[in-house]
């Protein structure tokens, strides 16, 4: 979804129409999945031994059941069509994805819930909300996170805090009423994070492909993601933990197979919170790699007066009076650097930018160097940031050819690597913006 989505107000009739769709759609998918799994001869269970000590609290059935009211009413709390479209997309995705999991990896409750009498028992029997086979992932937990957003946007102060507390109690009730095991809760949380990531409110959605990128790295990341997925299936349900690195690697695979920087949902210098969670396994390994390289190489090098080149980790040493050009889409910039003098030109590692991006980067350097020093960085400070500086050297007349620009940067930072694709792009840039090579 674009951050510039139209802000057309949503009508009552449109909200009502979507409510009349998502409510029966949930019951249809939920019921059919449970009915189909009930025909199977054997369905497994999974629970840790310590879960037997979780108490059964009948009164928690009230917050548990209240989730259904919040779910049905949520479309009416969307202010614009864009908000409604995002909410409904997340809900439908969560239901479909959960249904697939219910069918492919069925589980049932590991221990029997005590009999429920009175009005709560009648409601459960009538609405059939405690189907025994639809456990992993917990749609109750997924809806808790997805449905909270339209209410949280409208409420302020104590009312928002009170409702947030109630939603936390709703999440807790799924365990205290013996509706789900802990693994189901973790699965529901993961499903909600994935739904919010795929259908963001403000960031670009990774579902809308941009342009082709590095064709070799895409299959490589996809292969590693496949290995993690195989490990998850082979050791299911304990292997469910492997789904986290598998999803992280899959996002990088999509980025290098055509989705591009939109995969990371970086906006105003910061990755969206679902992206940070989903990408944590790969980004964690990248930080380790960055720390190793940082120890071997100078933190910051001055290429020419006023132009500083370095890595992501060295950016934290930059003073507040230095402007920053960040060439990464995959790393959140240090908070104190995300100010009015911050610029983010996003393109993937081991790729080259578009001509428009390169021109924008050079224009920023020309503007900011007139006011003070500028620090340019990517992840390692070897390629993306060096390429933008090379174009600036050509544009300003400090270098006469791409090879000359690269040589000047190498004298300040010998580790830089600008391959033939960068040289070709710099030649094209020079042909457009420099009178003679």
């Amino acid at each position: 979804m674009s951050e510039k989505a139209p802000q057309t107000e949503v009508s009552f009739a449109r909200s009502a129409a979507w409510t009349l769709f998502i409510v029966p759609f949930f019951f249809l998918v939920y019921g059919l999945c449970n009915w189909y799994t009930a025909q199977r001869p054997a369905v497994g269970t999974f629970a840790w031994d310590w879960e037997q000590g979780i108490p059964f609290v009948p009164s928690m059935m009230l917050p548990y059941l209240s989730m259904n009211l919040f779910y049905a009413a949520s479309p009416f709390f969307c202010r614009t069509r864009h908000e409604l479209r995002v909410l409904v997309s997340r809900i439908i995705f969560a239901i479909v994805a959960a249904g697939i999991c219910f069918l492919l990896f069925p589980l049932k409750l590991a221990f029997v819930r005590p009999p429920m009498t009175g009005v709560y028992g009648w409601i459960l029997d009538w609405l059939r909300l405690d189907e025994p086979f639809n456990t992993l992932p917990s749609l109750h937990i997924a809806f808790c996170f997805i449905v909270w957003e339209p209410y949280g946007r409208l409420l302020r102060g104590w009312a928002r805090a009170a409702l947030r507390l109630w939603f936390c109690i709703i999440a807790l009730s799924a365990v205290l009423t013996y509706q789900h095991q802990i693994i189901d809760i973790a699965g529901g949380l993961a499903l909600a994070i994935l739904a919010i990531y795929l259908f963001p409110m403000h960031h670009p959605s990774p579902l809308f492909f941009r342009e082709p990128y590095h064709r070799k790295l895409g299959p490589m990341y996809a292969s590693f993601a496949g290995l993690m997925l195989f490990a998850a299936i082979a050791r299911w349900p304990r292997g469910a933990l492997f789904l986290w690195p598998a999803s992280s690697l899959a996002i990088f695979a999509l980025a290098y197979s055509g989705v591009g920087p939109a995969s990371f949902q970086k906006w105003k210098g910061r990755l969206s919170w679902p992206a940070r969670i989903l990408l944590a396994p790969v980004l964690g390994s990248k930080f380790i790699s960055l720390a190793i390289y940082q120890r071997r190489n100078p933190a910051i090098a001055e290429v020419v007066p006023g132009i500083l080149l370095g890595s992501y980790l060295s950016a934290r040493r930059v003073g507040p009076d230095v402007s920053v050009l960040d060439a990464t889409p995959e790393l959140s910039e240090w908070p104190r650097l995300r100010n009015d003098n911050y610029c983010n030109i996003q393109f993937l590692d081991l790729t080259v930018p578009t001509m428009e991006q390169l021109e924008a980067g050079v224009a920023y350097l020309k503007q900011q160097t007139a006011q003070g020093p500028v620090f340019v960085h990517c992840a390692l400070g070897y390629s993306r940031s060096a390429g933008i500086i090379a174009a600036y050297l050509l544009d300003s007349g400090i270098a006469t050819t791409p090879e000359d620009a690269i040589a000047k940067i190498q004298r300040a930072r010998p580790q830089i690597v600008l391959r033939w694709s960068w040289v070709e792009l710099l030649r094209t840039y020079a042909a457009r913006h420099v009178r003679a090579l």
Side-chain angles (χ1 to χ4, degrees):
M1 302 295 177
S2 169
E3 63 195 68
K4 297 181 180 179
Q7 298 300 308
T8 307
E9 291 187 3
V10 61
S11 65
F12 179 88
R14 185 180 293 270
S15 297
W18 276 115
T19 294
L20 292 175
F21 174 80
I22 63 174
V23 171
F25 181 68
F26 162 72
F27 282 109
L28 177 65
V29 174
Y30 193 79
L32 287 177
C33 289
N34 187 80
W35 172 84
Y36 179 82
T37 305
Q39 316 305 312
R40 298 186 178 187
V43 178
T45 63
F46 181 85
W48 285 280
D49 293 338
W50 57 266
E51 291 187 60
Q52 296 287 346
I54 297 176
F56 176 72
V57 184
S59 60
M60 292 296 285
M61 190 57 67
L62 176 62
Y64 182 83
L65 293 175
S66 71
M67 183 69 252
N68 298 281
L69 297 178
F70 285 112
Y71 171 78
S74 58
F76 294 98
F77 287 82
C78 295
R79 299 166 299 181
T80 67
R81 290 187 182 183
H82 174 63
E83 291 180 1
L84 179 61
R85 183 165 56 249
V86 170
L87 173 69
V88 171
S89 298
R90 292 172 178 176
I91 288 175
I92 294 175
F93 170 81
I95 293 173
V96 172
I100 294 173
C101 291
F102 295 155
L103 296 176
L104 295 181
F105 310 108
L107 289 176
K108 62 181 180 181
L109 293 173
F111 40 84
V112 179
R113 175 174 57 81
M116 181 88 56
T117 59
V119 65
Y120 293 147
W122 178 79
I123 293 176
L124 281 176
D125 292 337
W126 183 63
L127 293 179
R128 301 185 66 84
L129 295 176
D130 61 341
E131 303 288 13
F133 301 112
N134 296 340
T135 60
L136 177 65
S138 168
L139 271 174
H140 211 78
I141 298 299
F143 288 159
C144 240
F145 284 87
I146 293 173
V147 168
W148 154 257
E149 189 168 321
Y151 297 99
R153 274 195 303 266
L154 293 179
L155 298 178
R156 293 291 184 271
W158 66 267
R160 178 185 172 91
L163 188 61
R164 187 188 293 273
L165 176 62
W166 185 256
F167 268 74
C168 291
I169 295 173
I170 290 175
L172 189 62
S173 70
V175 177
L176 296 180
T177 56
Y178 287 12
Q179 300 296 320
H180 287 285
Q181 262 86 61
I182 297 299
I183 191 174
D184 309 334
I185 305 303
L189 176 60
L191 178 59
I193 292 172
L194 184 59
I196 296 170
Y197 167 77
L198 292 176
F199 301 96
M201 187 63 65
H202 302 294
H203 302 82
S205 172
L207 295 177
F208 298 101
F209 281 46
R210 300 304 193 264
E211 55 187 78
Y213 279 89
H214 202 296
R215 295 299 185 179
K216 293 181 180 179
L217 283 178
M220 183 193 74
Y221 278 113
S223 298
F224 285 119
L227 289 175
M228 292 293 104
L229 181 60
F230 176 79
I233 296 174
R235 298 291 298 171
W236 191 265
R238 294 181 181 273
L241 187 60
F242 287 104
L243 292 177
W244 190 12
S247 62
S248 186
L249 289 163
I251 291 172
F252 270 83
L254 290 173
Y256 281 97
S257 300
V259 176
S263 299
F264 307 108
Q265 296 183 350
K266 186 172 180 178
W267 187 48
K268 294 184 178 179
R270 190 180 188 189
L271 276 66
S272 68
W273 69 264
R276 293 197 300 273
I277 294 175
L278 290 171
L279 294 170
V282 174
L283 292 182
S285 65
K286 280 186 172 290
F287 272 107
I288 295 174
S289 174
L290 287 173
I292 294 174
Y293 278 103
Q294 183 74 71
R295 294 177 60 185
R296 297 178 181 175
N297 304 308
I300 299 175
E302 187 173 38
V303 178
V304 294
I307 298 293
L308 308 175
L309 172 61
S311 68
Y312 169 77
L313 289 181
S314 62
R316 59 185 168 179
R317 306 182 186 180
V318 174
D321 57 334
V322 178
S323 301
V324 175
L325 194 161
D326 172 11
T328 69
E330 75 274 17
L331 300 169
S332 291
E333 187 57 276
W334 301 98
R336 66 183 182 84
L337 299 180
R338 299 196 298 261
N339 51 40
D340 293 337
N341 294 326
Y342 171 76
C343 177
N344 186 201
I345 307 293
Q346 298 186 23
F347 57 104
L348 299 177
D349 192 15
L350 301 179
T351 70
V352 297
T354 64
M355 182 58 66
E356 291 74 18
Q357 288 178 314
L358 190 60
E359 291 170 344
V362 172
Y364 174 80
L365 292 181
K366 292 168 65 176
Q367 174 186 339
Q368 296 303 120
T369 50
Q371 304 175 20
V374 182
F375 177 70
V376 187
H377 79 84
C378 49
L380 292 173
Y382 285 1
S383 178
R384 288 174 285 183
S385 50
I388 294 175
I389 293 177
Y392 168 78
L393 297 182
L394 288 170
D395 192 275
S396 60
I398 299 174
T400 57
T401 66
E403 292 79 7
D404 182 33
I406 294 172
K408 282 180 167 56
I409 300 172
Q410 283 178 329
R411 282 196 287 271
R413 190 171 177 82
Q415 300 83 13
I416 72 160
V417 179
L418 292 176
R419 304 187 185 279
W420 66 267
S421 55
W422 263 110
V423 175
E424 290 299 315
L425 179 63
L426 291 172
R427 286 188 181 279
T428 303
Y429 180 86
R432 288 189 181 186
H433 297 276
V434 184
R435 290 186 177 180
L437 288 177

